[in-house]
Amino acid sequence: PEFVRSIPIEKALEPDSLLALKMNREKLPLLHGGPVRLVLPRWYGQNWLKWVTQISLTAEEDTGFYMKKAYRMPKKPLKQGAQWNPEEGVPIQELLVQSFLVWPHPNTLVPRGKVTLKGKAFSGTGEILRVQISQNEGKTWREARLLPPHPLGGWREFEFETELSQMRKYRFLSKATDTKGNTNLSNTLGIPRDT
């Protein structure tokens, strides 16, 4: 089926939503969606339409496959394996809050003593307000230090200093919260210890 996505007019009129014609001051390459690509910051990539050929203003959401069946999620969380009807869900649009520990890389051997974990967090619905780290499977959480935000938005980097005193593999969880109160599910990072 033809790939059609409906974008609310409010999103289309945001100052940073745009139709990209160029990349690095040159004509947008076909591989990147040229000659015209829709760019919607803070929204998932399936809405960043490549090879735009037509824009139509309609009162209703498109009824095609890519709006009514594909790229949809349930309105409320479901139990794992539960059946649901995509047509009763909502389109996937804004990026959910996410956080990632990016250093040390999994399976990196680190020396005993103080180690600074580094990560990134982002949200499509608000600014990152806090990031927390757990070293005990989410029983308790400690605050990570947020680095200053980038002037153009996007990722918010964070650091967390901890002491690794035992020779074992460590597992850390991260979670971020944005200014609208949204929070992510934890992501894990295992760090094996050196001797």
Side-chain angles (χ1 to χ4, degrees):
E2 192 175 30
F3 193 88
V4 176
R5 295 287 292 164
S6 292
I7 309 298
I9 192 72
E10 298 80 21
K11 180 64 179 175
L13 294 176
E14 286 182 0
D16 55 359
S17 295
L18 58 96
L19 291 169
L21 305 173
K22 292 186 175 188
M23 185 172 86
N24 299 327
R25 297 190 177 113
E26 295 186 11
K27 232 165 83 171
L28 186 66
L30 185 66
L31 182 63
H32 292 282
V36 181
R37 180 178 189 159
L38 180 63
V39 176
L40 299 171
R42 297 174 304 285
W43 276 33
Y44 284 102
Q46 73 272 6
N47 297 293
W48 292 40
L49 295 176
K50 294 180 178 182
W51 313 295
V52 175
T53 59
Q54 179 180 339
I55 297 174
S56 303
L57 294 175
T58 61
E60 303 295 326
E61 187 178 271
D62 187 72
T63 58
F65 176 80
Y66 291 105
M67 281 306 297
K68 291 299 178 189
K69 294 201 183 271
Y71 302 114
R72 296 182 74 84
M73 59 190 264
K75 291 179 184 175
K76 294 180 182 176
L78 300 173
K79 290 182 181 176
Q80 187 173 353
Q83 296 293 316
W84 69 286
N85 179 356
E87 292 185 24
E88 294 172 2
V90 293
I92 295 173
Q93 296 173 330
E94 290 176 318
L95 288 165
L96 299 176
V97 180
Q98 296 181 46
S99 65
F100 301 94
L101 290 161
V102 298
W103 194 92
H105 301 290
N107 300 319
T108 298
L109 297 177
V110 296
R112 284 187 218 207
K114 289 190 178 186
V115 174
T116 301
L117 306 181
K118 295 182 180 187
K120 297 177 186 256
F122 65 90
S123 172
T125 59
E127 301 298 319
I128 295 297
L129 183 64
R130 70 193 297 197
V131 175
Q132 296 168 292
I133 306 294
S134 176
Q135 292 176 247
N136 57 11
E137 302 296 324
K139 293 178 186 134
T140 60
W141 295 90
R142 291 176 38 214
E143 296 293 319
R145 183 174 70 88
L146 290 176
L147 301 180
H150 189 280
L152 298 177
W155 293 101
R156 184 79 187 261
E157 295 181 305
F158 63 89
E159 296 180 343
F160 180 78
E161 194 171 277
T162 189
E163 184 83 25
L164 302 180
S165 57
Q166 299 175 16
M167 295 190 320
R168 65 178 181 90
K169 187 168 186 170
Y170 288 83
R171 185 169 178 221
F172 295 91
L173 306 177
S174 71
K175 71 176 176 178
T177 304
D178 70 13
T179 50
K180 293 195 177 172
N182 300 306
T183 191
N184 71 309
L185 298 175
S186 301
N187 295 284
T188 64
L189 174 66
I191 303 175
R193 287 278 303 111
D194 77 353
T195 53

